[in-house]
Amino acid sequence: MSRKIAVIAGAGPAGLTAAYELLARTDVTPIVCEETSTIGGIAQTYNYKGNRIDIGGHRFFSKSDRVMNWWFNILPQQGAPAADTAEKEGSYATEVIIKYLCPECVHTLPHSARSEVTGGESEAGAAKGAETVKRPAPDPEREDSVMLQRPRLSRIFYRKHFFPYPIGITLTVARHLGFWNMVLIGLSYIKAQAFPLKDEAYLDAFFVNRFGRRLYKTFFEKYTEKVWGIPCSQIRADWGAQRIRGLSLKRAVSHAIKDLLSSDFAKAQQERETSLITRFFYPKFGPGQMWETVARQIQSCGGDIRMKARVSGVHLSASADPELTVGNVASVTVENVETGTREEIFCDVFISTMPIKHLIGMMTPRAPTSVVEVAEGLQYRDFLTVGLLLKNLHVLEHGKPPQDRVPDNWIYIQDGDVRVGRVQIFNNWSPYMVADWRNTVWIGLEYFVNEGGDLWIRPDRDLIALGIREMEQIGFLKKDDVLDACVLRMPKAYPAYWGSYGQLRVVRDYVEKIPNIYLVGRNGMHRYNNQDHSMLASMIAVDSIAAGLTDRSNLWNVNLNMDYHE
């Protein structure tokens, strides 16, 4: 009997989760085709001379126990303090139990991690002869395969003041904004609650109804337009509903007055919007470490991952149903991006994480004109990071001496006269992200751009100069403290909520007529998902494949009604 094949386009979180789950729970062999030379998609870790960049920042936190347990099964929780953590800070695991996909995964572990191995079967992978490892929780100072627990702090830097993120009304905020401004913000919020805008189709109304017009104008409008490059009045409110569902001025204030360091950490975190969590988990070497580990396990257990292999054609069979114009995906064409050689791979399942625009454009026979037009009209926002290695920061905050270090993971740059949107301080995500974390500060300046636009095409040296100049302008660093720098570009980082987005259902309805194709992931579904949502969609897709179901409507419910987001 010939083996069943699933071709998976993309080696990001969605694609690799699908491949792992197929190996664990079905007799389908995954072939993952990744166009680039890097594992992880936007959740990769870029290594520049031992200093690592997390593209866009990836906190490992989810309200899905299924996802949390999956992560911890790949990288177990730390059992001792990290290099930058005091001995008594935080709580640590004592023992971990890891159920590996197949015995070959265990053999790749260091000897110390194989000290206690018991033969057994995991829930995911019983047919594969999975191995169970029971061992002490890893010490991040001695082992690399470990998930750290990190303090979360994100703030807004605006006119040389720090404000909490997400914004809330505290005495410090009131002092920075001024008494009369606070009165007007309060009155504006009361008005929004008493007379909410009835049409919430677009993002400006969504924000005004939750925060009041004055606070929206102060803290939301300019930053959001910096992210998307167009006015909030042109952005569908779906983005706001996904990113900050359930968050409002009232809710933010209520969390601010509670004890955020509850003794029941897990319960306290579950009760908060993800934008309000106080701690999160993070791989020792950034998100890419998670997906590189998953990729190795997939390959060890019989899966195939092909790098620099672009899916360039998706070929549909004729339908046996006279009411349908197309049948299954029969095969895909895979092109080596270096040599140009092509190979046709026949498959039983096709899982796509590629941009919908690309997928529809490469289908044969050609999709109906109405479907092609919607796909072609989908828009994206691109992303670039300027990495700066510094001797120290030089943060000028009103009323305080210059600060050479700050504790934030992320800092949102609200000032509208600079183009930088956010700053990541990688030392605070994990000290192991920085080659010399004790003596240097490694930061990432995040710019939201359009591929082919003025910033995208600028030479790296000019982007580095721009970043340094803007950081000096807002009072964040001194040029003389810059030791080294690099630039990293990421196309199609964010699916956009304008263009033909409002007609996306046309594409979805067409694709759902093809029984063996599954759209998952951020670009695969054209939905601004976090990695846990992308993973859940892939898990649900494999649930359907394992059960022999063809209804894929449940995939689209992931992150539709969830009341949190990072």
Side-chain angles (χ1 to χ4, degrees), residues 99 119-123 125-127 129-132:
K99 296 178 181 178
E121 294 184 347
S122 64
E123 178 182 351
E131 294 275 359
T132 300

Side-chain angles (χ1 to χ4, degrees), residues 3 14 54 62 70 96 98 119 158 238 248 315 361 397-398 403 501 516:
R3 62 176 182 164
D54 177 353
S62 177
W70 199 96
V96 295
I98 306 173
Y158 180 50
D238 302 44
S248 66
H315 312 295
E397 186 180 2
H398 275 306
Q403 301 170 68
Y501 170 78
N516 67 338

Side-chain angles (χ1 to χ4, degrees), residues 318-332:
S319 175
D321 187 340
E323 295 185 2
L324 298 177
T325 57
V326 294
N328 285 320
V329 175
S331 65
V332 300

Side-chain angles (χ1 to χ4, degrees), residues 16 41 56 68 77 81 105-106 123 143 183 189 194-195 241 271 364 397 407 413 428 432 458 461 474 479 495 503 519:
L16 293 175
M68 293 298 294
Q77 297 182 59
C105 293
V106 180
E123 178 182 351
E143 298 182 40
V183 169
Y189 176 71
F195 306 101
E271 291 174 349
T364 55
E397 186 180 2
I413 307 302
N428 299 334
Y432 309 103
R458 283 194 195 184
R461 64 179 180 276
I474 65 172
K479 181 178 180 180
Q503 300 170 278
L519 305 187

Side-chain angles (χ1 to χ4, degrees), residues 130-150:
E131 294 275 359
T132 300
V133 175
K134 181 180 179 182
R135 51 155 301 187
D139 180 346
E141 283 289 88
R142 296 175 177 161
E143 298 182 40
D144 291 339
S145 296
V146 56
M147 185 81 89
L148 307 179
Q149 186 186 123
R150 303 297 293 172

Side-chain angles (χ1 to χ4, degrees), residues 350-416:
F350 179 58
I351 299 174
S352 175
T353 75
M354 73 173 76
I356 287 176
K357 175 182 289 190
H358 295 173
L359 171 66
I360 297 299
M362 66 178 63
M363 282 184 168
T364 55
R366 187 176 186 271
T369 300
S370 60
V371 175
V372 174
E373 287 177 350
V374 172
E376 286 296 318
L378 293 174
Q379 303 297 311
Y380 302 85
R381 191 71 163 151
D382 310 290
F383 188 85
L384 66 83
T385 300
V386 176
L388 297 180
L389 186 66
L390 310 169
K391 299 175 186 175
N392 285 299
L393 296 172
H394 191 78
V395 179
L396 300 176
E397 186 180 2
H398 275 306
K400 294 184 179 181
Q403 301 170 68
D404 59 7
R405 300 283 176 117
V406 291
D408 306 71
N409 315 111
W410 256 328
I411 296 174
Y412 292 76
I413 307 302
Q414 184 68 28
D415 297 75

Side-chain angles (χ1 to χ4, degrees), residues 145-263:
S145 296
V146 56
M147 185 81 89
L148 307 179
Q149 186 186 123
R150 303 297 293 172
R152 174 228 177 242
L153 179 62
S154 296
R155 291 184 292 176
I156 299 166
F157 193 61
Y158 180 50
R159 296 179 179 175
K160 293 187 170 62
H161 285 298
F162 278 111
F163 295 88
Y165 178 86
I167 192 66
I169 301 304
T170 66
L171 291 176
T172 300
V173 170
R175 187 169 62 251
H176 291 341
L177 291 177
F179 174 77
W180 287 113
N181 198 10
M182 286 302 305
V183 169
L184 294 173
I185 285 171
L187 291 174
S188 176
Y189 176 71
I190 292 170
K191 179 181 177 181
Q193 298 307 294
F195 306 101
L197 299 173
K198 293 181 180 179
D199 184 0
E200 263 197 19
Y202 291 92
L203 199 54
D204 54 346
F206 178 90
F207 280 133
V208 168
N209 281 350
R210 283 155 183 77
F211 295 93
R213 185 170 298 278
R214 191 172 183 88
L215 198 61
Y216 157 69
K217 288 285 187 180
T218 304
F219 284 111
F220 293 92
E221 183 179 40
K222 293 300 181 184
Y223 177 79
T224 304
E225 292 178 359
K226 191 183 292 188
V227 171
W228 293 111
I230 64 172
C232 292
S233 59
Q234 298 177 25
I235 303 170
R236 302 288 298 189
D238 302 44
W239 177 76
Q242 286 179 233
R243 300 304 291 180
I244 58 171
R245 178 183 295 273
L247 194 59
S248 66
L249 183 58
K250 179 180 178 181
R251 193 176 181 99
V253 171
S254 70
H255 281 296
I257 62 177
K258 289 181 180 179
D259 178 11
L260 296 181
L261 299 178
S262 168
S263 59

